[in-house]
Amino acid sequence: MVAPNNVRSEFTQCFGDDSDVRVFCAPGRVNLIGEHTDYNDGFVLPIAIDRNTVVVARARNDSIIRVYSVNRKQEGTFDLDHATPIQKGQWTNYVEGTARLLRQKGFRIGGTDIVLESDVPVGAGLSSSASLEMAVAAALVRLGDQPFDRERMALACQEGEHEYTGAMIGIMDQFAAAFGEEGHALLLDCRSLEFIAIPVLLEHHALLVCDTGVKHDLAASAYNDRRRECAEAVEILEKFIPGIRALRDVSESKLNAYATELPEVLYRRAHHVITENARTLAAAEALQERQYTVLAELMYASHESLRKDYEVSSPELDLLVDTARTIPGVAGSRMTGGGFGGCTVSFVEQDRAEEFMFRMREAYGTELKVYTVRASPGAEEIC
Ligand code: GLA
């Protein structure tokens, strides 16, 4: 965890003193299963993790937001009362998108001085951006002295990211950063936004995240391509299956009945989403019932589907999952997050965790970073 006192002293250096500041944090997330299903109105099973963005913030008397990132050693400024053209590719866009969209959604957001620091690895598929957005949203909403409406805040952050970065992401990451619960995964229905918290009992198992350290450049545009392909599949299928709104509404047997109507690529994209929704519901049940062999098979099947049907895996991720499968005591492993690099998530028996790390590094290279993560709470004020 980032030391809040460190961020406070950085605040003093930037803004003169730390009187009246308030401190907030929001976590990154690892997704256990349910990948690329959120923007298809489907199901996801993320876990908020014990890696956070910490925000130290103080209200100003004007409409200016000044933000300093300890990680980047860079500052940005914008005026909430004056919109300027969006310059893509700036890290401050995550802050500006959040602040402006919260305002548009009716939150009272005023000028604020902000210093932030994060220990969520960037570009690793652990949602460093949603963690930053929710931590900033928590600060802006609380400084305006208004109810902490987590759902509306998460939706504003998601929309801010759409507008300010062009990544047409789903709701999973912001939702996990907002609603995470200690010791629990969240089974979220991305259509109704209803969720249930499922205990992740880690007395016997550890949750290990392996970071390939690779992020392919095409990730953002390929993500939007997948989203478009899913919408195209729905457009074709609704001619044959009236009333469907999203791939969530299509069963595997219906998809197969109309398979020849779809271009082959669209069939595979839809097949992934539809089978992944079923796997996610089954995995939530297996987790609840502690049926780890069932969970393991579902996680491996998810990875295969992402590799072959959805084509968002990478050689590095495949190597990690293929290696994990051969290590005793591994109760499931798969890529996690958007893909094209990033991380895998593995459930490993506690007393085999050391051996797991050793064998994974032996196969991948000693530079492989492995993090042990714990299911942790969502955004909160910490002091
Ligand atoms: C990214 C997006 C999420 C989700 C995942 C894939 O993390 O931000 O909304 O679509 O990819 O499951």
Side-chain angles (χ1 to χ4, degrees):
M1 171 84 166
V2 169
N5 279 342
N6 181 43
V7 193
R8 274 186 95 119
S9 62
E10 294 274 353
F11 188 98
T12 304
Q13 278 184 35
C14 275
F15 299 114
D17 67 83
D18 68 352
S19 56
D20 298 329
V21 297
R22 291 168 70 176
V23 187
F24 303 84
C25 73
R29 65 99 190 93
V30 66
N31 189 22
L32 215 47
I33 195 165
E35 219 65 82
H36 291 275
T37 45
D38 58 356
Y39 53 83
N40 290 295
D41 278 3
F43 299 94
V44 292
L45 191 62
I47 295 175
I49 58 174
D50 49 347
R51 286 179 167 258
N52 284 274
T53 303
V54 170
V55 159
V56 173
R58 180 169 61 201
R60 300 167 55 101
N61 294 325
D62 55 19
S63 54
I64 308 276
I65 294 202
R66 282 177 67 193
V67 55
Y68 176 77
S69 159
V70 176
N71 303 81
R72 292 173 188 268
K73 299 189 173 41
Q74 282 174 4
E75 192 184 309
T77 305
F78 58 95
D79 185 342
L80 284 165
D81 287 347
H82 297 100
T84 42
I86 300 167
Q87 283 186 307
K88 291 268 157 70
Q90 313 273 355
W91 68 271
T92 45
N93 285 344
Y94 294 99
V95 179
E96 188 165 348
T98 296
R100 292 203 191 276
L101 265 292
L102 282 169
R103 233 191 195 193
Q104 270 181 38
K105 303 272 167 209
F107 287 95
R108 266 190 324 277
I109 305 297
T112 311
D113 288 332
I114 297 172
V115 173
L116 53 85
E117 184 175 0
S118 178
D119 64 357
V120 186
V122 173
L126 299 177
S127 291
S128 58
S129 44
S131 148
L132 184 152
E133 291 156 12
M134 273 308 298
V136 167
L140 295 177
V141 168
R142 275 286 191 242
L143 289 178
D145 219 6
Q146 50 210 318
F148 211 64
D149 185 337
R150 290 175 191 266
E151 186 174 312
R152 278 175 62 224
M153 288 158 67
L155 288 165
C157 292
Q158 179 200 18
E159 226 173 286
E161 199 167 325
H162 287 177
E163 279 188 28
Y164 277 75
T165 75
M168 298 309 289
I169 48 150
I171 190 60
M172 167 169 70
D173 304 348
Q174 288 74 11
F175 200 92
F179 286 93
E181 283 187 28
E182 186 158 8
H184 291 78
L186 307 179
L187 174 63
L188 171 66
D189 177 337
C190 298
R191 172 171 280 168
S192 66
L193 297 186
E194 279 167 12
F195 71 97
I196 46 176
I198 299 182
V200 184
L201 297 165
L202 293 178
E203 322 100 327
H204 303 302
H205 289 84
L207 203 51
L208 295 175
V209 170
C210 295
D211 187 349
T212 62
V214 178
K215 188 77 195 168
H216 296 283
D217 292 343
L218 72 173
S221 65
Y223 184 95
N224 289 351
D225 290 345
R226 294 297 179 282
R227 191 171 176 146
R228 191 179 23 78
E229 287 166 348
C230 290
E232 281 169 22
V234 172
E235 232 171 83
I236 297 172
L237 287 169
E238 72 184 347
K239 293 186 202 134
F240 305 96
I241 321 169
I244 60 165
R245 285 198 279 144
L247 287 176
R248 148 75 175 273
D249 302 315
V250 183
S251 65
E252 197 180 349
S253 59
K254 279 269 194 260
L255 172 70
N256 289 334
Y258 299 108
T260 51
E261 307 294 341
L262 292 169
E264 193 263 341
V265 170
L266 295 194
Y267 170 79
R268 282 191 288 119
R269 304 296 188 246
H271 187 256
H272 164 72
V273 172
I274 291 165
T275 55
E276 183 79 348
N277 274 332
R279 279 188 291 271
T280 305
L281 293 173
E285 201 178 313
L287 188 63
Q288 183 96 47
E289 304 296 326
R290 303 196 211 176
Q291 294 170 340
Y292 293 117
T293 39
V294 177
L295 183 64
E297 283 319 309
L298 292 162
M299 288 174 77
Y300 291 128
S302 165
H303 187 80
E304 278 311 295
S305 179
L306 288 157
R307 174 178 1 206
K308 295 199 178 116
D309 278 349
Y310 220 63
E311 295 179 288
V312 291
S313 188
S314 68
E316 298 85 3
L317 290 165
D318 294 343
L319 171 64
L320 290 179
V321 172
D322 291 344
T323 306
R325 279 195 96 132
T326 66
I327 302 174
V330 177
S333 183
R334 56 180 287 280
M335 57 154 277
T336 186
F340 303 102
C343 292
T344 63
V345 57
S346 310
F347 250 122
V348 184
E349 286 171 20
Q350 291 277 12
D351 46 11
R352 303 275 198 165
E354 286 294 317
E355 183 188 349
F356 173 86
M357 292 188 201
F358 178 80
R359 298 260 315 260
M360 294 297 278
R361 289 201 174 108
E362 200 176 45
Y364 192 81
T366 45
E367 74 277 15
L368 179 71
K369 291 196 207 86
V370 185
Y371 317 113
T372 305
V373 296
R374 302 192 66 82
S376 304
E380 58 190 344
E381 181 158 8
I382 46 180
C383 39

